[in-house]
Amino acid sequence: MTTGYLYHEMFGWHDPGTAAGLFASDPRLGIQPLQHFEHADTKRRIHELIVVSGLIDELLRIEPRRATEDEILRVHDREHVTRIRAESERPGGGDAGDGISPFGSGGFDIASLAAGAVLEAVEAVFAGRVDNAYALVRPPGHHALPGTGMGFCLFNNVAIAARHARYRLGAERIAVLDWDVHHGNGTQAVFYDDPAVLTISLHQDNVFPLNSGRVEELGSGAGRGYSLNVPLPPGTGDGGYRYAMETVCLPAIRRFQPDLVLVASGFDAGAMDPMGRQMVTSDGFRRLTELTMEVADEVCGGRLVLSHEGGYNPAYVPFCGLAVMETLCGKKTVSDPFLPLVAAMAQQELQPAQRDAIDLAAAGLAGIEGRAG
Ligand code: ZN
């Protein structure tokens, strides 16, 4: 198994400033400067653990490139791209669009490199240079809408990659599985009326964006049936996530028969995350990866690309990232020292309220049709 790996030191230089988690410091409002939730350390520490554990020697390093403006415009409005570019030129930079997603000078270049890294990953998989790939990118992408960035995302990396696979690599159907703890609203919006791209989002119910990702959101027009949402109760652990995969995500992908599976891979459903209230362990993420690889093997020759999204505990996230990448390439390195603690948390196994929520979402499977003929 050859696994492609994409990272660039520039991703650590994306600068969200000194917000106190979400909010810009302002003494008049009592907000002290601190560190933005989406700071570099979580991602940089994944990369450093990949190197220090020796896993880097088992991965095929692929150099990211910048996405071109035309590639970004396959998903985003020209006004949005022009605004991000202009704000990126300013001393101090700008904001992706919602006031909680600041970026520094040169942010346009870093966001273009993040989108381009996922394109490179998809190209490597389609060319057969690798079996699967992980793009450890920053800034993330899954909240970015065609007309604006939001939720720390400037450009929708996964959506841009899906369009690239469709328009340039001959993929007819693409499934996007999003296991970030927040709703993959941007990706859903891009493809809401498009039956060629199935979006499936597993997320904690009503965390971000608010009032988004309800089970009733199934797509519109020709795309009706090709958006699936599994809003999970807070406290869902490895058992609930596994049940959601087996009951909704895997059957959906099997029915859909895509040519490529993309994963929006956030680790903020992790048991120690400051932004989510879920309990997934590194072993849980390992299992999610195994199941996704199995279904990709079944339907599309194993073509699988994961693009990094959220995950905000710098101590724990690296072990989740390591577990996923170990699984992709079939190697094992160091053990997660937190695992005995987080795996023993009460109610890691599927709970009745979780089962009910997942079963409700499974009703949406009926709207997915396989390939014609
Ligand atoms: Zn997230």
Side-chain angles (χ1 to χ4, degrees):
M1 208 64 157
T2 305
T3 295
Y5 172 64
L6 299 95
Y7 179 74
H8 196 289
E9 280 65 21
M10 278 257 282
F11 296 147
W13 294 17
H14 165 59
D15 181 9
T18 57
L22 285 179
F23 304 108
S25 64
D26 187 337
R28 296 163 301 180
L29 302 174
I31 304 173
Q32 305 174 35
L34 181 66
Q35 191 176 44
H36 197 282
F37 280 133
E38 204 293 293
H39 60 86
D41 282 356
T42 38
K43 293 78 181 174
R44 194 157 52 205
R45 288 170 62 96
I46 296 177
H47 173 69
E48 291 183 5
L49 183 59
I50 298 291
V51 172
V52 171
S53 68
L55 191 69
I56 193 77
D57 298 330
E58 312 293 341
L59 304 169
L60 182 71
R61 196 82 192 258
I62 299 171
E63 200 59 34
R65 66 169 172 91
R66 284 188 198 172
T68 66
E69 193 156 311
D70 284 345
E71 287 166 341
I72 296 169
L73 288 169
R74 289 191 193 128
V75 164
H76 292 287
D77 302 346
R78 185 171 293 280
E79 293 70 23
H80 172 57
V81 177
T82 303
R83 184 182 67 78
I84 296 291
R85 186 192 283 281
E87 292 190 7
S88 172
E89 294 297 319
R90 298 198 311 222
D95 188 278
D98 60 357
I100 58 167
S101 309
F103 60 85
S105 299
F108 179 88
D109 304 279
I110 304 176
S112 303
L113 191 65
V118 190
L119 297 184
E120 277 292 318
V122 169
E123 284 178 5
V125 165
F126 268 84
R129 294 200 299 276
V130 296
D131 297 293
N132 51 41
Y134 196 100
L136 178 55
V137 297
R138 180 169 178 266
H142 72 149
H143 295 306
L145 297 160
T148 185
M150 71 182 292
F152 321 156
C153 304
L154 278 66
F155 301 137
N156 196 312
N157 306 319
V158 160
I160 292 168
R163 284 264 153 89
H164 187 67
R166 283 260 288 139
Y167 297 170
R168 286 286 180 271
L169 304 174
E172 291 178 10
R173 293 184 153 215
I174 294 147
V176 180
L177 171 61
D178 188 324
W179 65 48
D180 186 281
V181 82
H182 303 103
H183 179 222
N185 65 300
T187 320
Q188 173 176 295
V190 171
F191 300 112
Y192 207 56
D193 57 4
D194 183 353
V197 179
L198 170 70
T199 62
I200 311 165
S201 180
L202 296 177
H203 48 267
Q204 186 182 329
D205 194 6
N206 208 25
V207 174
F208 185 86
L210 294 179
N211 305 311
S212 181
R214 289 169 300 117
V215 75
E216 296 81 14
E217 295 168 26
L218 289 165
S220 63
R224 176 91 186 156
Y226 297 92
S227 296
L228 283 182
N229 286 288
V230 191
L232 296 162
T236 303
D238 289 352
Y241 270 80
R242 179 169 181 161
Y243 184 73
M245 287 291 283
E246 289 172 345
T247 309
V248 181
C249 309
L250 305 179
I253 294 170
R254 268 188 211 111
R255 284 176 83 113
F256 187 62
Q257 296 281 313
D259 301 302
L260 167 70
V261 177
L262 291 170
V263 175
S265 172
F267 297 121
D268 40 12
M272 294 192 154
D273 199 87
M275 296 203 75
R277 293 293 175 268
Q278 305 297 46
M279 304 201 304
V280 181
T281 69
S282 60
D283 255 7
F285 284 112
R286 201 181 287 280
R287 190 69 192 138
L288 295 184
T289 308
E290 283 168 1
L291 292 169
T292 309
M293 290 171 74
E294 283 169 23
V295 76
D297 276 342
E298 266 178 59
V299 301
C300 57
R303 281 199 287 261
L304 172 64
V305 171
L306 292 82
S307 178
H308 193 74
E309 299 286 354
Y312 303 100
N313 183 320
Y316 195 51
V317 154
F319 292 103
C320 299
L322 184 75
V324 167
M325 280 181 254
E326 283 183 348
T327 308
L328 288 174
C329 69
K331 299 289 190 322
K332 204 70 177 73
T333 60
V334 298
S335 299
D336 168 8
F338 293 93
L339 189 59
L341 188 69
V342 291
M345 286 178 172
Q347 303 192 353
Q348 272 293 4
E349 66 279 14
L350 177 67
Q351 300 298 307
Q354 297 161 8
R355 179 189 294 272
D356 291 348
I358 294 163
D359 287 347
L360 200 63
L365 290 170
I368 301 170
E369 286 177 23
R371 285 170 187 276

